[in-house]
Amino acid sequence: MERKIISITGKRQVTIPLKFYEKLRFGKELECFLTDGAVVLRPLSSSDDSFVMETLKDLISQGYEGDELLAKFAEQRSKIKKAISGLIDEADEIAESKRRGATTKDIFGEE
């Protein structure tokens, strides 16, 4: 296993070492999740993007096909991009202490 210590900026940003970035062929997005007390970052593969597939399955099940399916898919994708952009803006505001983020208690209530 290769290991490297990296810094975290004040905005909670990290730089993926070039050797790792190239070896794993990262694109412009990555998948991030928690597992067993570790943060895992891995390339997001557009070829098996299950979210895209689920969106298409849903639209097909609603009866869309052909050009209408393509138009509806483009509309859904645009809405998703706007929502993600809003989430990123919100995260930036929280990181810059311009906005309060949710706490575990806010999300899950009292233990």
Side-chain angles (χ1 to χ4, degrees):
M1 172 171 60
E2 294 185 60
R3 182 174 184 252
K4 179 158 175 118
I5 305 295
I6 57 177
S7 300
I8 301 173
T9 70
K11 288 187 174 184
R12 300 180 318 276
Q13 297 171 328
V14 297
T15 300
I16 299 170
L18 182 59
K19 182 178 179 180
F20 296 173
Y21 182 88
E22 289 175 342
K23 187 172 185 175
L24 295 173
R25 298 184 184 133
F26 278 96
K28 293 190 179 224
E29 295 181 309
L30 58 84
E31 180 180 19
C32 176
F33 59 92
L34 290 171
T35 182
D36 297 325
V39 175
V40 176
L41 306 174
R42 68 179 174 196
L44 184 62
S45 172
S46 60
S47 63
D48 62 326
D49 188 351
S50 62
F51 190 75
V52 169
M53 295 302 291
E54 288 302 318
T55 302
L56 284 171
K57 283 182 192 176
D58 182 53
L59 292 172
I60 290 167
S61 74
Q62 292 178 46
Y64 294 103
E65 56 185 43
D67 289 340
E68 187 180 27
L69 172 63
L70 294 174
K72 195 67 172 175
F73 179 76
E75 178 186 324
Q76 294 286 38
R77 195 171 163 126
S78 174
K79 288 179 182 179
I80 291 167
K81 285 183 179 182
K82 286 178 187 174
I84 290 172
S85 178
L87 290 171
I88 290 169
D89 291 345
E90 182 180 334
D92 286 343
E93 288 177 5
I94 292 168
E96 295 167 358
S97 298
K98 293 179 181 176
R99 182 181 200 160
R100 181 184 168 278
T103 65
T104 305
K105 183 179 175 183
D106 293 335
I107 296 168
F108 298 107
E110 296 288 336
E111 286 191 26

